[in-house]
Amino acid sequence: MTLFYRNIFTVLTGTGIAQLIPVLGSLIIVRIFSPDIFGEYALWFSLTIILTVIISGRFETCIAVKSPGEERNKAVYYTLITILIGTTFFIFLAIPIYLVFSEYIKLKQPIVLLLTPISAALTASIQLIISYYASEGLFKRLSIVRIIQSAAILILQVVAGLLFDNNVYALVLTHTFALFLTILFIFSLLKLRFNFNNFKPHCVIEFWKNNKKYLLYSLPADTINSVSAELPIIMVVAKFGSEAGGILALTLRVLGAPIGLIAKAVLDVFKKFASDEFREKGNCSAIFTKTFKILALLSLVFFTFSYFLIEDLFLIAFGSEWSTAGEAAKILLLLFSLRFIASPLSYVVYITENQEVDLYWQFLLLITTVSSFHFLSSLNGALYVYNIGYSMLYVLYLVLCYRMTKKQCTY
């Protein structure tokens, strides 16, 4: 278990820097870009995140489950091909999708939608390599990639904001280019290499068949999860305008920092140790319980500290123009505190191959999200209902995940 904590600390150090960069960068960006421009960028970024999940087929989540060596390398290779195929498909669909959903995709410059599949492909590829590094125990390399990605996005966006007018092009173009630079860094400086001599492209279909649970359950479940996570910004922009969307986007970015800082670091280590324990013992309840206790304690500290100070901190950090973001953050504290716990532990769904349970849960989450923002006329009212409904579903999810660790449950 000492190795478990040591690896968490290794990833936490790099991940902490990587997550601290965009949060601190927000202090600069919100003074360069107005809330409505930031809201439009957040809308584009939400669409990119959703597409990132779809084009990968969620095969990157199976990397840790595969045996080290050729089997794992093949999984990485075929997932990269899947990303390429998915990206090509959506590049041709970008404009038709915008025309059909233009009522909700309220981009003042719809041409930026063409960059969505490209940015999604780059993001999916980076996530795939990070998953591979985590599976191989290469936690230092994983941390370096995250730091480079965060730093590149921030630096380029700040420079573009200072050189050009207050517009969404500066944010979208620099974000995409930063991802491209990160990919170049991965394949050149880190010298990522796989032995592809015996790999045949037509085996991709066989790979899909052998891992069909990821397509049948994980892909729709994680797509719904991504849509549910990004839908608040999309619906707020459509219903309350880009400025309200910008306020909410800043709120979600700041509240999400602890998840990025600690929970992702725990996930990177947890997926390796839990997968190994499950292969050896047929269950992973011991590592699940210990990890839950750590996350629950940290979550309680985060909630208690933030509840009394978060509104003042937002006002001091971002100025009066963004003060309402502090009010929204206080409303959503419980949700993010529970997400902090559930996010890493949810990986047992993949380890135990209970993706169908996750799919049903994601449907409930989607219904809760849509209902919260569609039927309520005030933004704060919608956030309150969203917070309560989402929090209750997280409690249910944690109970289900714990049951899965005992054995491969059939629900």
Side-chain angles (χ1 to χ4, degrees):
M1 191 54 63
T2 302
L3 180 61
F4 178 74
Y5 289 119
R6 187 164 63 247
N7 284 330
I8 287 179
F9 179 78
T10 299
V11 181
L12 178 60
T13 303
T15 304
I17 297 173
Q19 293 298 321
L20 190 61
I21 289 172
V23 173
L24 294 179
S26 298
L27 297 173
I28 304 173
I29 291 176
V30 297
R31 286 171 169 78
I32 299 175
F33 298 96
S34 60
D36 61 320
I37 294 299
F38 192 75
E40 193 171 353
Y41 164 68
L43 173 60
W44 171 84
F45 184 67
S46 294
L47 297 174
T48 300
I49 293 299
I50 294 171
L51 191 56
T52 297
V53 174
I54 297 174
I55 64 175
S56 68
R58 295 311 280 158
F59 290 125
E60 76 277 8
T61 57
C62 78
I63 302 301
V65 181
K66 302 299 182 183
S67 300
E70 185 177 359
E71 183 182 2
R72 183 171 290 167
N73 289 354
K74 283 183 177 180
V76 173
Y77 176 68
Y78 295 138
T79 303
L80 281 173
I81 294 178
T82 303
I83 292 172
L84 178 61
I85 294 172
T87 303
T88 304
F89 178 75
F90 278 99
I91 284 177
F92 288 102
L93 281 184
I95 294 301
I97 288 176
Y98 175 77
L99 293 176
V100 173
F101 297 100
S102 58
E103 180 181 353
Y104 296 98
I105 307 176
K106 293 187 176 180
L107 293 171
K108 295 176 183 176
Q109 293 89 8
I111 191 66
V112 302
L113 197 65
L114 290 174
L115 287 173
T116 305
I118 298 174
S119 182
L122 295 171
T123 303
S125 299
I126 293 171
Q127 290 178 353
L128 171 62
I129 300 306
I130 285 177
S131 181
Y132 171 77
Y133 283 153
S135 303
E136 293 288 311
L138 302 173
F139 299 113
K140 290 184 179 179
R141 289 191 176 187
L142 181 155
S143 299
I144 292 173
V145 170
R146 284 189 171 147
I147 292 172
I148 292 298
Q149 179 182 347
S150 297
I153 292 174
L154 172 62
I155 293 172
L156 291 179
Q157 286 185 338
V158 170
V159 171
L162 294 174
L163 294 180
F164 302 102
D165 293 334
N166 177 42
N167 64 71
V168 72
Y169 285 116
L171 289 169
V172 171
L173 289 173
T174 51
H175 184 111
T176 305
F177 187 61
L179 295 176
F180 176 72
L181 292 179
T182 304
I183 290 291
L184 290 182
F185 176 81
I186 290 173
F187 286 98
S188 61
L189 298 184
L190 293 186
K191 302 185 184 303
L192 182 68
R193 296 291 183 269
F194 299 104
N195 181 14
F196 294 149
N197 293 333
N198 299 322
F199 297 166
K200 299 178 180 179
H202 69 269
C203 293
V204 175
I205 297 178
E206 182 180 349
F207 171 75
W208 291 349
K209 290 181 179 179
N210 292 337
N211 298 276
K212 61 183 178 182
K213 270 203 167 186
Y214 292 90
L215 283 176
L216 295 177
Y217 298 114
S218 296
L219 178 57
D222 290 345
T223 300
I224 294 172
N225 177 264
S226 181
V227 169
S228 299
E230 303 302 329
L231 201 55
I233 291 178
I234 297 173
M235 295 188 72
V236 166
V237 171
K239 191 171 184 178
F240 301 103
S242 297
E243 183 173 344
I247 295 294
L248 180 60
L250 179 65
T251 302
L252 298 179
R253 173 180 285 200
V254 175
L255 283 180
I259 295 178
L261 175 63
I262 300 176
K264 281 188 178 179
V266 174
L267 171 61
D268 290 330
V269 180
F270 175 76
K271 67 171 59 175
K272 173 177 173 54
F273 280 79
S275 298
D276 292 344
E277 184 176 303
F278 192 82
R279 279 196 297 266
E280 295 170 4
K281 301 179 180 180
N283 69 80
C284 54
S285 58
I287 189 70
F288 182 95
T289 302
K290 185 168 287 290
T291 307
F292 172 81
K293 291 178 180 178
I294 297 171
L295 292 171
L297 178 60
L298 293 173
S299 178
L300 180 61
V301 173
F302 166 73
F303 180 87
T304 304
F305 175 81
S306 301
Y307 186 82
F308 296 101
L309 299 176
I310 197 163
E311 289 184 274
D312 292 332
L313 290 175
F314 264 83
L315 182 60
I316 294 171
F318 303 108
S320 57
E321 189 179 16
W322 298 83
S323 59
T324 52
E327 300 174 15
K330 190 171 184 178
I331 294 173
L332 297 174
L333 266 179
L334 178 61
L335 184 161
F336 275 87
S337 297
L338 289 170
R339 180 179 294 178
F340 179 85
I341 302 172
S343 181
L345 298 177
S346 64
Y347 193 77
V348 299
V349 168
Y350 303 107
I351 295 174
T352 61
E353 296 188 353
N354 279 294
Q355 290 96 325
E356 62 272 22
V357 178
D358 186 48
L359 177 58
Y360 303 145
W361 185 86
Q362 298 297 347
F363 271 117
L364 292 176
L365 176 58
L366 181 61
I367 293 171
T368 300
T369 303
V370 173
S371 300
S372 300
F373 290 94
H374 179 72
F375 293 108
L376 295 171
S377 57
S378 72
L379 179 57
N380 280 0
L383 291 177
Y384 273 115
V385 174
Y386 176 67
N387 176 65
I388 295 171
Y390 212 148
S391 298
M392 293 174 63
L393 286 174
Y394 267 136
V395 173
L396 172 63
Y397 199 47
L398 285 169
V399 173
L400 292 174
C401 285
Y402 178 70
R403 287 190 61 193
M404 293 175 196
T405 64
K406 294 292 187 178
K407 58 181 180 178
Q408 279 190 279
C409 303
T410 302
Y411 290 81

